[in-house]
Structure formats: C-alpha cells, structure tokens
Amino acid sequence: GSLSMDLRERFVAGLTAHEAEDWTAAARAFADAGWVGTPLEDYARLFQADSMLKQGDVVAARALAAQAAGGQPESALTPSALVWAAAVLSGAGDPGGAVAVLQRVLARLGDVPDAGRVRYALGEALLAAGDQKEAARVFAAGPSQLLANSGSAPIDTAPSSTAPGSIIKVTWLFIHS
C-alpha cells in the first residue's frame, strides 16, 4: 500500500529526530498509531525501540524490537534491519531474542554473501547469551564466511550500531517513491 503525503512527512520527521539523537521526539513520532497497517509499521516500531533503548527504557525497547522483528507471518524488515533489531534486543538485555531473530534471518537468507555478516552478529549474540560453545561453532565457519561481504567489516551488534544510517536511507527512498 502507498503512504499518504502526511504519513511520509511524519516518517521523515521521525527519521530526522532519530538522526539528531532527539530520542524523545523520535520515540513519539514512531509511536503514532498511524503506522499500523502500513508498509512502514515494523520500521516505525524498530526506530521507536531504538529510541526507547537510547532513553534507557529497556523494557519498552525489548518489547518493541521483538514486535518489529516478529511480524506475522514474517517481519517486513530487511535482513539488515533485522540485524539491527537483534542488536536492540541484545542491548535491551535479551540476547536470546537476538539469537532467535538472527537464526531466522540466516534461514531466510540461505548462503548468500551477506549471510557472513549475519553469522558474525549471531556469534556475538550467542556470546552475549552465554553460549560460548555455539558461538565458537558459528565463528569456526571461518573468517572468509563471516566477513563475506565484499571485504566489509562485520555489522556492529552493539546498541551504538551504525545500522540505523543505512536503514534510514532505505526508508527515505521508500517513502519518496
């Protein structure tokens, strides 16, 4: 479905607040019930989750990130956005939830070059969850598979991840199409 000009402008306002690190304004913009049923619903939840985490509300961040990543029948989020959702979950104290999201992403991606970045994030999430044995197995896949994304650095799974920048660009293009 397409978005009205009003919704597009409101999403851009939320993105602008998020980029400016105005977490309160961003959380408010993305909490708007107007996102329900739109193609950007899961993205709005994810930006809201990240904004709540940055404000220190880990309970809300965890719930929102889980909702964004667990849409029915499947989240509308791209694999990169799902990796970001996993980082928010981990940052909000739910590394097990992060592991589940990343395992779903890998199952959906299959063996494509970008899967190495997801495997790396999965290994980090497993370590955060305290599963050193499984993390070692994931990391044992080898650096060539873990970093198999045209020589790019792995995705940072820390809450300060730069993933939102690329997500902002994608959503900006979507709402202006």
Side-chain angles (χ1 to χ4, degrees), residues 29-86:
F30 293 118
D32 191 317
W35 303 120
V36 175
T38 71
L40 295 176
E41 179 177 359
D42 288 338
Y43 288 92
R45 279 191 185 129
L46 180 54
F47 277 102
Q48 183 187 7
D50 188 59
S51 299
M52 298 306 286
L53 180 61
K54 300 285 175 45
Q55 293 180 79
D57 188 345
V58 296
V59 173
R62 188 179 312 125
L64 289 161
Q67 287 175 349
Q72 298 298 329
E74 194 171 273
S75 174
L77 298 177
T78 63
S80 292
L82 286 166
V83 171
W84 180 29

Side-chain angles (χ1 to χ4, degrees), residues 53-152:
L53 180 61
K54 300 285 175 45
Q55 293 180 79
D57 188 345
V58 296
V59 173
R62 188 179 312 125
L64 289 161
Q67 287 175 349
Q72 298 298 329
E74 194 171 273
S75 174
L77 298 177
T78 63
S80 292
L82 286 166
V83 171
W84 180 29
V88 172
L89 283 167
S90 189
D94 186 8
V99 167
V101 168
L102 293 166
Q103 287 172 332
R104 272 199 346 259
V105 173
L106 278 176
R108 191 164 83 180
L109 276 180
D111 195 22
V112 298
D114 204 38
R117 298 178 74 186
V118 180
R119 279 188 204 95
Y120 182 87
L122 175 59
E124 291 288 316
L126 286 162
L127 284 175
D131 192 344
Q132 294 177 348
K133 184 176 180 182
E134 186 62 15
R137 190 192 67 72
V138 169
F139 286 133
S144 62
Q145 287 183 348
L146 290 174
L147 303 177
N149 190 23
S150 307
S152 298

Side-chain angles (χ1 to χ4, degrees), residues 151-170:
S152 298
I155 293 172
D156 178 6
T157 59
S160 62
S161 173
T162 57
S166 60
I167 304 305
I168 288 172
K169 290 175 192 143
V170 170

